[in-house]
DNA sequence: ACAAATATATAACATTTGTTATATATTTAA
DNA sequence: TTAAATATATAACAAATGTTATATATTTGT
């Protein structure tokens, strides 16, 4: 199970794991806690990187506008995830945008501090590079899904992924709380067409909804749609 | 134009550009020339990296198998492109597979030699990291296209991209020479459905075919399908 | 608490894409 | 060179998805 989901998870929440006590202290010392309002941008495409973020509370979407301007979400970040390091490492501008889906609490590390940490903690640099390689594989997997799976299968997959990601570190299942618009932009369809698939899933008893929240009721049925056994 | 295409090009052919004479010599000295037969693998998913490759002649496809085993091509490499460094940098196994589409001539740099070059030539390391960031953006752009564009638009885009990439460094236009199967696995459709789109394009005068080769006859019409002006 | 704005649900119809089947062309190996 | 294997082309029908329209629910700002 963990293994199946990890094909689609950036796992950037593990970046600061496995540090020694003193290394960890050095990292903590550079962090500045920020509150970010729902709907505002952590960074955007074309902007100049100023540092990296670790989400401590809330969710954020990473997206890119295709050449015709349509928003394509390719990742939803949740607490503990670290983001914003690609552009910073490459000394270039952001390739994508990141927006708070709810009020966030984040820890910010300024560019120079983070680069210094990387120099001083070789294990961190190694882990970061490893992680970037992993993320590359995740995007390739997402490409395979979008290119090969039909809408119901894509929806089933993302519901399973998001449920797992959203409720990983929380004792109570809160369901999947995204706007229909965001969910549609994640699985690559229109809002209306997404609604049709959700209705089918409800009729089959796979899911239930309350307001915009989606609760998975029969994950086995969803997995069967993917023709894969998650264990 | 260059700018539009570069959104979808890895640009790994530029990796060894801008080196000093002596740096360049150091790189050349570590390279070993290899001949690889059509259909054989440069590396495959799960394998342990042994080094990196620069293609000197021929084309290769990079692909991944989705969890149901279907092949999804996400890049076609052409001469001068460098590949295979992700897994090597991250000290992990290959995340994807690479197969020769025709008989290849490649230059191989063994893992330890390449890692040494990176240590000794900071500009190379910097460029590599920058390039990995760029590739991340390319995959995100491909995700947007696959998720948002219909089949004809996807086909039009990839025909323009491939024509540009295949004939970039060659004086004579040779058209696009890929099996229907590979082209279908690149744009995310079935071979039969791809055939239908190709037929439409032929009827509209956008393209002509000879054997499996595809020649672009009216790129303006293809660009209009994308609702974008390439200039 | 209320009105306005925004988000969601649903249906009907059009269009696109998938699938199955069959025929023809091209390449490969003996 | 020829037979077998593989690749390509095409059509007909089924299924999935896009689009437009309208109604209802929920959220936001005052």
């Amino acid at each position: 199970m963990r293994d199946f989901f990890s094909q689609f998870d950036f796992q950037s929440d593990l970046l600061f794991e496995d540090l020694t006590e003193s290394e960890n202290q050095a990292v903590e010392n550079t962090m500045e806690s920020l509150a970010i309002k729902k709907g505002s941008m952590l960074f955007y495409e074309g902007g100049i990187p100023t540092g990296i973020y670790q989400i401590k509370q809330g969710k954020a979407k990473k997206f890119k506008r295709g050449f015709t301007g349509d928003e394509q979400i390719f990742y939803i970040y949740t607490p503990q995830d670290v983001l914003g390091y690609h552009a910073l490492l490459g000394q270039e501008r952001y390739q994508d945008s990141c927006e708070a889906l709810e009020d966030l609490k984040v820890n910010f590390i300024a560019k120079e501090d983070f680069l210094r940490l990387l120099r001083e903690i070789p294990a961190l640099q190694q882990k970061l590079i490893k992680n970037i390689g992993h993320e590359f594989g995740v995007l390739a997997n997402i490409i395979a899904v979008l290119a090969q799976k039909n809408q119901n299968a894509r929806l089933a997959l993302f519901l399973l992924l998001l449920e797992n990601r959203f409720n990983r570190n929380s004792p109570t299942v809160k369901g999947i709380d995204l706007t229909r618009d965001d969910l549609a932009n994640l699985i690559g369809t229109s809002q209306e067409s997404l609604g049709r698939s959700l209705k089918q899933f409800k009729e089959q008893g796979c899911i239930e909804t309350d307001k915009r929240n989606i609760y998975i009721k029969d994950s086995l049925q969803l997995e069967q749609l993917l023709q894969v056994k998650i264990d």
Side-chain angles (χ1 to χ4, degrees), chain A:
Chain A
M1 178 124 99
R2 177 99 203 103
D3 201 51
F4 178 79
F5 289 134
S6 74
Q7 292 185 276
F8 299 96
D9 266 336
F10 280 168
Q11 300 188 175
S12 64
D13 55 317
L14 304 177
L15 193 63
F16 296 131
E17 303 269 314
D18 302 329
L19 296 183
T20 68
E21 184 58 38
S22 69
E23 288 169 344
N24 199 53
Q25 197 54 53
V27 171
E28 297 279 348
N29 286 341
T30 64
M31 282 178 166
E32 178 189 359
S33 180
L34 298 177
I36 294 180
K37 281 281 171 203
K38 173 177 176 173
S40 61
M41 308 291 276
L42 281 78
F43 51 81
Y44 47 87
E45 213 167 334
I48 294 172
T50 55
I52 66 161
Y53 302 84
Q54 180 169 37
I55 296 182
K56 300 311 286 184
Q57 204 177 105
K59 296 197 295 282
K61 64 175 172 183
K62 201 172 202 184
F63 64 95
K64 211 171 162 77
R65 293 196 183 280
F67 49 79
T68 43
D70 302 319
E71 174 176 313
Q72 177 62 41
I73 299 175
F74 59 92
Y75 206 77
I76 308 277
Y77 287 99
T78 54
Q80 309 314 323
D81 282 333
V82 181
L83 61 149
Y85 41 80
H86 281 94
L88 197 143
L89 273 186
Q91 308 271 35
E92 54 183 17
R93 286 158 188 268
Y94 287 115
Q95 303 263 359
D96 37 45
S97 305
C98 191
E99 180 184 328
L101 291 174
E102 33 198 283
D103 288 352
L104 300 185
K105 285 197 184 126
V106 302
N107 285 338
F108 175 78
I109 303 180
K111 176 177 172 173
E112 288 313 322
D113 288 330
F114 184 64
L115 293 176
R116 182 173 47 75
L117 285 174
L118 287 180
R119 281 194 303 273
E120 291 173 356
I121 310 176
L124 184 61
Q125 166 145 30
Q126 185 61 31
K127 194 148 191 174
L128 185 66
I129 288 174
K130 205 164 189 160
N131 209 260
I132 288 176
H134 175 72
E135 290 184 15
F136 190 87
V138 168
L139 292 196
N141 284 327
I142 293 175
I143 286 174
V145 168
L146 292 173
Q148 297 177 350
K149 300 292 177 188
N150 67 19
Q151 182 170 299
N152 280 2
R154 295 201 303 273
L155 177 58
L157 173 65
F158 277 100
L159 289 179
L160 291 168
L161 287 179
L162 292 176
E163 154 97 338
N164 177 260
R165 195 180 302 158
F166 289 178
N167 299 313
R168 190 162 39 196
N169 299 312
S170 98
T172 63
V173 172
K174 294 160 313 207
I176 297 159
D177 175 35
L178 280 181
T179 68
R180 293 290 177 264
D181 221 17
D182 283 341
L183 191 52
N185 286 336
L186 189 61
I187 72 170
T189 189
S190 66
Q191 208 183 116
E192 297 87 341
S193 197
L194 167 65
R196 178 166 38 205
S197 292
L198 286 173
K199 196 185 173 206
Q200 283 173 34
F201 283 10
K202 274 189 270 189
E203 284 167 358
Q204 293 169 275
C206 302
I207 63 169
E208 282 176 11
T209 61
D210 173 38
K211 309 278 167 60
R212 73 180 194 186
N213 263 57
I214 299 170
Y215 298 91
I216 292 178
K217 286 295 161 186
D218 184 350
S219 51
L220 212 61
Q221 242 187 109
L222 293 178
E223 290 166 26
Q224 277 161 1
L225 263 175
L226 304 180
Q227 303 177 286
V228 74
K229 199 159 178 330
I230 300 174
D231 53 17

